[in-house]
Amino acid sequence: EVQVVESGGGLVQPGGSLRLSCAASGFTLDDYAIAWFRQAPGLEREGVSIISTRDSSIYYADSVKGRFTISGDSAKNTVYLQMNSLKPEDTAVYYCAAGTWLSSYPADDEYDYWGPGTQVTVSS
């Protein structure tokens, strides 16, 4: 069974850091691209970052470029999202998803397998 599960969310002060993990099972990282999306209350879901370990491709949304870093550990079958210089507007539920990266941006209909999400709250 293909599954992805997020962990690592929490409460952090502005300017702080968190590292989210997306543990994959039922497939290897070379089989699917892994994307991180987030959704804040009252707002549409936003694609944050994508990694394809098969061809070493990476995407970042402009809103996180220079602050977030996505990486994959094939031995652990896990993708990480290192989030630095966090801002209150980064507060959201963060989801990882596995799928086929076809568009130049994170298109959520290209991702078939979604985790339950992990809450990230940036507040003083």
Side-chain angles (χ1 to χ4, degrees), residues 20-97:
L20 304 184
S21 299
C22 174
S25 59
F27 67 99
T28 70
L29 295 186
D30 282 350
D31 293 331
Y32 293 108
I34 300 293
W36 285 96
F37 292 82
R38 67 185 181 186
Q39 188 163 23
L43 298 180
E44 291 189 357
R45 188 159 54 194
E46 175 191 14
V48 173
S49 185
I50 315 171
I51 186 168
S52 170
T53 59
R54 181 164 51 190
D55 60 10
S56 302
S57 297
I58 286 177
Y59 164 93
Y60 295 106
D62 288 343
S63 57
V64 306
K65 203 171 291 182
R67 301 188 298 122
F68 290 12
T69 302
I70 193 169
S71 62
D73 184 333
S74 295
K76 296 183 178 180
N77 221 31
T78 299
V79 168
Y80 302 99
L81 186 68
Q82 178 67 43
M83 306 187 297
N84 299 329
S85 303
L86 283 162
K87 305 174 182 180
E89 51 264 43
D90 294 317
T91 295
V93 177
Y94 283 70
Y95 302 90
C96 71

